[in-house]
Amino acid sequence: MDARAVAATITEHSSRALSGGEVVVDGVTVQEAGRRRLVRILLARDVSDLAAEDTTSGVEPLSLDEVAAATREISDALDSCGAMGERPYTLEVSSAGLDRPLTTADQFRRSVGRLVKVTRTDGSTLTGRLTSAAPDELTVEGEHGTDRLTPTDITKATVQVEFSRPDRKDD
């Protein structure tokens, strides 16, 4: 079975193990590492229960406890289903890092309220706060005003690191 088929099987079993919770599988990669395989599973907050008209409320990131609980469930599911076969593997489960590009409507929706850098199809860039994320339109408030973009206007988008947010008190 090739790596893509293995990743699809892992995604299926991992998603089933997490069903009914607030955590979903956001990506799976499988790499050969000598005699072992390295399985990386990215998790995210489930946004499927948000009302379709709610495009502006923030979504809490996953806590370490949620990732740890999901890791146990996924590990048990993969061990019991036999999807990994007899070869040893290393399982890494985490939430996506800031360097991961935003590519899906759910990823944009989870990033509402965050500072984003967008590269448009014309090559120009825009950095601003993502204030709304609907499947067909994104709103970014930058220093030069508000921009409304469609997913087809964007070639790349990433969340930017912020050490302190101007609209929140530091805890």
Side-chain angles (χ1 to χ4, degrees), residues 9-81:
T9 301
I10 292 168
T11 300
E12 176 187 335
H13 288 284
S14 299
S15 296
R16 195 175 309 138
L18 299 175
S19 67
E22 294 184 11
V23 179
V24 295
V25 175
D26 194 36
V28 172
T29 59
V30 179
Q31 290 179 302
E32 298 297 323
R35 295 184 357 231
R36 302 177 73 82
R37 284 180 284 186
L38 175 59
V39 178
R40 288 190 174 114
I41 300 177
L42 296 178
L43 304 176
R45 173 88 49 214
D46 186 8
V47 293
S48 64
D49 288 340
L50 293 177
E53 62 275 1
D54 177 10
T55 62
T56 61
S57 63
V59 176
E60 287 294 317
L62 295 177
S63 70
L64 291 176
D65 289 339
E66 288 173 307
V67 173
T71 300
R72 287 188 294 276
E73 292 175 32
I74 290 169
S75 179
D76 291 346
L78 293 181
D79 288 345
S80 67
C81 76

Side-chain angles (χ1 to χ4, degrees), residues 59-124:
V59 176
E60 287 294 317
L62 295 177
S63 70
L64 291 176
D65 289 339
E66 288 173 307
V67 173
T71 300
R72 287 188 294 276
E73 292 175 32
I74 290 169
S75 179
D76 291 346
L78 293 181
D79 288 345
S80 67
C81 76
M84 298 307 298
E86 295 298 317
R87 280 183 60 198
Y89 67 95
T90 301
L91 178 64
E92 291 182 4
V93 180
S94 67
S95 58
L98 291 177
D99 59 341
R100 185 171 186 220
L102 304 174
T103 58
T104 67
D106 283 351
Q107 290 168 349
F108 279 103
R109 182 62 190 86
R110 288 182 198 104
S111 299
V112 166
R114 309 281 307 265
L115 188 66
V116 295
K117 181 177 181 181
V118 175
T119 303
R120 299 178 190 183
T121 54
D122 67 5
S124 66

Side-chain angles (χ1 to χ4, degrees), residues 122-168:
D122 67 5
S124 66
T125 60
L126 164 67
T127 300
R129 188 130 344 255
L130 181 63
T131 58
S132 175
D136 57 347
E137 183 180 77
L138 306 169
T139 305
V140 178
E141 290 184 13
E143 62 182 41
H144 300 296
T146 301
D147 286 275
R148 293 189 179 359
L149 307 165
T150 64
T152 58
D153 295 332
I154 300 170
T155 58
K156 184 177 180 181
T158 54
V159 172
Q160 300 298 289
V161 175
E162 286 186 281
F163 293 105
S164 64
R165 294 258 318 254
D167 60 339
R168 292 190 180 171

